[in-house]
Amino acid sequence: MIDWHTILWCCITLGFLLICFLLIYYIVSARMMKKKREELKDQLNRMKPGKDILFAGGIRGKIIRAKEEYLDVEVAKGIEITISRLAVNQVLEKKNSSKTK
């Protein structure tokens, strides 16, 4: 004979555990998203004229002018391109920027 009372309580327990797991997952992912957002904001603030950057395609350049959404970047002597700020993968530190292109 099937004990429906036990089956019901097992389902309730599993449902409670599932809800707890989803709540913990949501909290952890929200904290990670906040950290990523702060890192992106910091990177966007560091994009100033004179800084060397590496952007998504692996191209390295130097910021000539910084506009609100776009950057004018010199990728070779006399060659300037305009890119989106969001295309920048990394703002290079001073020790890396001293290398010749």
Side-chain angles (χ1 to χ4, degrees):
M1 183 170 178
I2 299 175
D3 186 10
W4 291 106
H5 189 264
T6 305
I7 293 173
L8 175 68
W9 280 106
C10 286
C11 289
I12 290 172
T13 303
L14 287 174
F16 178 75
L17 290 173
L18 181 64
I19 289 171
C20 288
F21 174 75
L22 291 175
L23 185 63
I24 291 169
Y25 179 76
Y26 175 76
I27 291 170
V28 169
S29 66
R31 293 177 86 197
M32 289 173 39
M33 289 292 287
K34 182 179 179 184
K35 183 179 177 184
K36 282 285 192 190
R37 216 175 307 124
E38 289 173 359
E39 288 174 0
L40 180 62
K41 185 178 178 181
D42 180 52
Q43 179 174 318
L44 290 173
N45 289 335
R46 289 188 291 141
M47 291 182 208
K48 295 183 173 37
K51 292 279 191 168
D52 283 344
I53 59 170
L54 182 69
F55 51 100
I59 299 172
R60 185 176 174 164
K62 187 174 191 173
I63 300 174
I64 304 299
R65 282 176 295 282
K67 300 172 187 168
E68 191 169 324
E69 291 185 34
Y70 296 96
L71 300 170
D72 290 333
V73 179
E74 183 179 47
V75 292
K77 190 169 184 160
I79 300 175
E80 291 182 21
I81 60 173
T82 302
I83 62 166
S84 169
R85 284 182 176 262
L86 298 176
V88 175
N89 196 26
Q90 183 179 5
V91 177
L92 300 174
E93 298 299 321
K94 227 18 167 178
K95 62 183 179 182
N96 292 338
S97 65
S98 65
K99 295 179 182 176
T100 58
K101 295 178 188 175

